[in-house]
Amino acid sequence: MAAAIYAGSFDPITNGHLAIIRSGLIAFDRIIVAVLTNPAKSPLFTVEERIEMIEDEFAEDPRVEADCFDGGLLVEYARSKGVSVVLRGLRAVGDFDSELQMATMNRNLAPDVVTVFIMANDYFFVSSTLIKEVAGLGGDLTGVVPERVHHRLTTKMANRG
Ligand code: PNS
């Protein structure tokens, strides 16, 4: 079974992430979506909320599993799961430098783990950071995040005051 790890902050998961996962499922039988629990990033959503949002979107698809990944090296996490592919999405040229650096560092750390890139499609302009900014300013995010995520964002922003 070909499996891949798709790691990130997912704060929150967007339609861009979903598109990468769906494309990834053409290449891989199983994808573990690993939520990074990095409090230094002061996330808007808790790890549990972020995992729930991912699970909600793939409730009907046993090929996708949401997990949390706390702290250590991504390649060590991949090894601990018995997975040797790290899946990343590439949105625009701007992503390339940092992704090349990360993929090369990861290869240096673990030559047995390979990074595979999938090009973003229509959602190349979407990032969780922009989503939070737009949500905070009351902008319409229809079609950019899943409906359930949209609802959670609206509630979270309203509770923040
Ligand atoms: O959603 P993001 O911020 O693009 O995700 C980045 C992530 C989680 C893939 C990256 O920060 C990561 O791999 N962190 C784990 C720590 C690690 O392995 N660092 C060395 C990688 S070069």
Side-chain angles (χ1 to χ4, degrees):
M1 278 248 294
I5 303 277
Y6 183 45
S9 308
F10 303 108
D11 185 40
I13 191 154
T14 69
N15 283 350
H17 295 128
L18 295 185
I20 298 291
I21 297 169
R22 291 195 181 114
S23 296
L25 287 170
I26 297 171
F28 301 101
D29 303 303
R30 190 164 71 91
I31 295 182
I32 301 174
V33 184
V35 177
L36 181 71
T37 62
N38 182 1
K41 278 196 157 185
S42 27
L44 178 64
F45 292 99
T46 66
V47 176
E48 291 73 25
E49 288 171 321
R50 286 181 270 159
I51 288 183
E52 263 172 34
M53 285 186 273
I54 296 163
E55 285 176 344
D56 281 348
E57 297 311 311
F58 293 99
E60 309 293 322
D61 196 337
R63 295 173 300 169
V64 179
E65 175 197 330
D67 190 25
C68 65
F69 149 53
D70 45 2
L73 287 173
L74 178 57
V75 289
E76 289 303 337
Y77 170 79
R79 280 171 170 165
S80 76
K81 291 281 168 183
V83 173
S84 47
V85 177
V86 168
L87 175 63
R88 297 289 291 167
L90 268 186
R91 285 169 302 197
V93 224
D95 281 345
F96 186 80
D97 279 355
S98 58
E99 292 296 337
L100 174 66
Q101 259 186 314
M102 262 201 293
T104 311
M105 178 58 85
N106 281 338
R107 188 172 54 203
N108 223 52
L109 291 165
D112 53 317
V113 176
V114 69
T115 304
V116 168
F117 292 99
I118 288 183
M119 306 305 288
N121 50 19
D122 300 350
Y123 298 103
F124 67 90
F125 63 96
V126 177
S127 73
S128 298
T129 306
L130 265 188
I131 295 293
K132 284 178 278 190
E133 183 178 328
V134 173
L137 296 170
D140 184 11
L141 289 167
T142 309
V144 180
V145 291
E147 201 41 56
R148 283 175 285 243
V149 171
H150 198 175
H151 181 70
R152 283 191 192 237
L153 269 169
T154 313
T155 311
K156 185 76 95 175
M157 291 300 173
N159 290 341
R160 285 183 125 199

